[in-house]
Amino acid sequence: MPPQADPEPALIPAITAFEASPDRGRGHARDMRVRWALEEVGQPYDVRLVSFAEMKQPAHLALHPFGQIPTYEEGDLALFETGAIVLHIAQQHRGLLPEEATSRARAIAWMFAALNTVEPPIVEREAAMLMERDKPWFEARAPLLEERARRRLADLSARLDDADWLDGSFTAADLLMVTVLRRPAAADLLDSYPNLEAYIARGEARPAYRRAFADQLAVFTAQSPRPD
């Protein structure tokens, strides 16, 4: 009987993250979403830190045509866009999407809702608060931006009601939605939606979230605590 070939070694995916982030590792940079997904499924990964200058160089633009982070590399596969990366991880590993087809489709729909419906007005408000405060139009525009964000939060709050997660058990949709709601331009509005505050707290209490947060924060601190 001929000797059997050794099994192929498992590929360790690599992601990119900010070498220097404006939030100093508070979990707002989008690599946090990918880190959390990988931690949830128990997949080891490597991190390559990139500067803002490096993100505009050809080597990085070949991975991410818009010069952003994160990127994801696994063998010959290179991905960009957080939602696409998290969906890929969820499809490759158990634990982030339901097995049953209808429930799985609903979870994917909620993933798109987090990134395409809930996040845009939050990010637009955030950008204005950061970059337009000194502009003559900011004072008139600010209430409209707040109203748009509140409308999405109110709709989401009504749909979540008193449930723990968006649709049954925790999925990649909750992972994305929690990180969207943690953005500063949403967080300062959450006093009006206690069920959303509790929803975020449940996400942040997950061991996988805590490990991902600690690892992202460790980039900007001298130690790397990894809670169990």
Side-chain angles (χ1 to χ4, degrees), residues 9 15 33 35 63-64 67 86 93 131 134 138 146-149 151 158 163 166 185 208 219 221:
I15 69 171
R33 302 171 183 186
R35 292 174 185 267
L63 299 173
H64 197 309
V86 172
H93 302 272
M131 296 183 288
D134 60 342
F138 177 78
E146 179 175 331
E147 192 277 331
R148 287 175 178 168
R151 190 185 315 155
L166 291 171
V219 175
T221 59

Side-chain angles (χ1 to χ4, degrees), residues 4-10:
Q4 293 186 345
D6 292 335
E8 291 290 327

